[in-house]
Amino acid sequence: MAVVIKTAEEIHGMREAGRLASEVLDFITPYVKPGVTTEHLDRLCHDYMVHEQQTIPAPLNYAPPGYSPFPKSICTSVNHQVCHGIPGERVLKTGDIVNLDITVIKNGFHGDTSRMFLVGDCSVAARRLCEMTYRCMWAGIRQVKPGASLGDIGSTIQQLAESSGFSVVREFCGHGIGRRFHEDPQILHYGKAGTGMILSPGMIFTIEPMINAGRREIRELADGWTIVTKDHSLSAQWEHTVLVTDEGFEVLTQSAGSPPAPLG
Ligand code: MF3
Ligand code: CO
Ligand code: CO
């Protein structure tokens, strides 16, 4: 599958989809509190997407080869869940950390973004993991410019994560995105600087590092979707959809409620 270089018109559509995905996270933020179920968060997001935004929740019934259809409209991954957590009856409690991953389709274009949420009072260790993972995502984003390589992104993320004593999940990666949810290229969150595909203007892909407090190994639950850390250590993830511009990068999944980019 070849990498799609987006036209000006496609970039316009991707900007709108990206902003809308981010606005779902803005909308849901005040509801992420102790006592709420992940199913309730899913329902609120679903209704907001379908009825307020007129967007399509891309995860709902999404079924890549070898997977059963995803049964919900967002992914909710709590504590040692790495990604692809299925919303359900679980009640969030103080001290939990949760990733909400939103993908909307608007006019045929996908916007894909996720944030970490601290539920009530969280441990210093949990907060440090979430903050460092945010820094990792942004350090990767800041590598993006024409002429840079995919390895520059991966190695920057890996170095920052591992120098903080954390590990990088290898089995899941960022991805090209556009009219399809998952396109080429794969964006690894580890690797060697100066290796891999060279970036060109008009490429659009996600950067979405999954960083574990403990060991990097993962396992899949019997539901066929939820990924957890093998050692049950905490895991965090942040995701943005990014455009390669003539000058560098443009983050497409930003909105009024996006946390600011970190300094440095
Ligand atoms: N949003 C995820 C990603 O960042 C993919 C979720 S697939 C789903 O690529 F089916 F679990 F929703
Ligand atoms: Co993604
Ligand atoms: Co996502």
Side-chain angles (χ1 to χ4, degrees), residues 50-247:
V50 171
H51 300 303
E52 304 289 327
Q53 296 187 322
Q54 283 85 47
T55 58
I56 299 167
L60 188 59
N61 297 316
Y62 183 61
Y67 284 82
S68 55
F70 192 80
K72 298 287 181 179
S73 296
I74 69 171
C75 297
T76 56
S77 304
V78 185
N79 295 340
H80 75 296
Q81 296 177 347
V82 173
C83 63
H84 304 167
I86 302 175
E89 291 166 20
R90 182 182 189 141
V91 178
L92 295 181
K93 60 179 200 313
T94 189
D96 285 343
I97 59 171
V98 59
N99 175 278
L100 302 185
D101 193 341
I102 307 293
T103 311
V104 305
I105 310 172
K106 183 71 167 184
N107 299 323
F109 295 104
H110 291 75
D112 188 7
T113 185
S114 80
R115 299 180 196 160
M116 293 303 298
F117 295 83
L118 305 169
V119 182
D121 295 318
C122 289
S123 68
V124 171
R127 281 181 289 163
R128 184 170 164 268
L129 176 68
C130 293
E131 278 162 26
M132 192 50 67
T133 303
Y134 188 62
R135 301 190 80 84
C136 284
M137 175 187 67
W138 269 101
I141 291 171
R142 287 176 169 140
Q143 294 300 310
V144 173
K145 61 176 180 198
S149 68
L150 288 182
D152 295 343
I153 299 172
S155 70
T156 300
I157 291 169
Q158 182 179 12
Q159 275 178 38
L160 186 54
E162 292 180 355
S163 68
S164 313
F166 299 142
S167 64
V168 178
V169 171
R170 305 283 177 106
E171 291 83 353
F172 295 89
C173 54
H175 49 92
I177 182 167
R179 293 184 187 276
R180 280 168 297 147
F181 195 163
H182 294 101
E183 301 182 352
D184 278 345
Q186 295 196 357
I187 312 295
L188 305 185
H189 303 112
Y190 61 93
K192 217 168 125 40
T195 64
M197 182 183 289
I198 302 297
L199 305 184
S200 318
M203 290 180 180
I204 298 180
F205 50 78
T206 71
I207 298 181
E208 48 179 302
M210 285 140 277
I211 306 295
N212 298 347
R215 296 175 57 85
R216 69 174 177 81
E217 287 79 11
I218 56 157
R219 120 189 131 71
E220 187 183 287
L221 296 189
D223 63 21
W225 278 101
T226 311
I227 304 298
V228 298
T229 56
K230 241 184 194 165
D231 65 5
H232 278 233
S233 64
L234 287 179
S235 187
Q237 179 179 31
W238 291 79
E239 176 175 25
H240 269 316
T241 299
V242 179
L243 164 71
V244 185
T245 64
D246 292 335
E247 316 294 325

